[in-house]
Amino acid sequence: MTLGQITGVPILDYHRIVPVSRFGASDDRFGVHESAFREQLQLLLDLKITVVTPEDIAAGQLPARSVALTFDDGYSSHYEIAFRELSEFKVTATFFVNTSSIGTGEFLDWTMAAEMIRGGMRFGSHAHNHIVLTTLNSDRVREELRVSRQMLEQHLASAIEVLAVPYGFCDQHVLDAAWESGYRVVCTSKPWPAQKGARVLSRVGVLQQTSLNEFRKLVEKDPAVYLRLLGRDRALAIPRYVFVRLRPEILGVRTAEDSL
Ligand SMILES: [Zn+2]
């Protein structure tokens, strides 16, 4: 690979969208402010970048300049803010939800999700519980993936074929369980553009600190930005896999031990 030539399609990964009324009040580094999100959608429009879906990328037929938009964890702000903005800009996105959270606390309920589907949005599984799948045995992974897919298909009357693994933790046994459970595409959190025609798609996070300038570099596949993000991800990968086994509380993630 030479600088200036990164292949693939960026899949942007969002978490909470923070409303104007809570500006300055959120210290959640994953929470993107409403106005920043709007500026990002406007920039995609200005740059004439087509918004596609993870399934389109896996199928490999795409316009020259495209991105996909994804949202994790199923927050109600996805309905209240993201859905409204996306509809206004006439673009779609995929929402990965944990079916055990739907209708509780700060999360989407089924009525909101159904309205989003009718409005052209898509849904995928983020497992039934928000748990590190690599710490579960194969039967429990399959159960997490099967229950979640069944519930989503039942409530939304829509085929669910894409899984995003919680916290980005993935290995071969998780992938095998996904294929066996009827998923066709798995999204991870390796910060790199997704490769056309692949079944395992990397995604790059959009965070509170992501400036519009950096966002532009992400969607235009600036090699320096991706190499920096990938370098940081690689440096943290081994400690992350060690800590998730030995000291998961340090990472603040939920593992098999917590759920027994
Ligand atoms: Zn998540």
Side-chain angles (χ1 to χ4, degrees), residues 62-111:
L62 295 168
R65 280 154 59 84
S66 40
V67 298
L69 306 175
T70 65
F71 292 79
D72 283 6
D73 303 345
Y75 296 109
S76 51
S77 65
H78 295 168
Y79 171 80
E80 289 148 5
I81 305 172
F83 174 43
R84 189 187 66 223
E85 297 289 348
L86 292 161
S87 304
E88 203 172 308
F89 282 87
K90 297 186 171 51
V91 292
T92 190
T94 304
F95 295 84
F96 293 106
V97 297
N98 301 102
T99 34
S100 69
S101 313
I102 294 189
T104 68
E106 59 174 337
F107 299 100
L108 295 170
D109 63 30
W110 288 114
T111 310

Side-chain angles (χ1 to χ4, degrees), residues 15 72-73 126 130 166-167:
H15 288 78
D72 283 6
D73 303 345
H126 198 37
H130 202 281
Y167 308 107

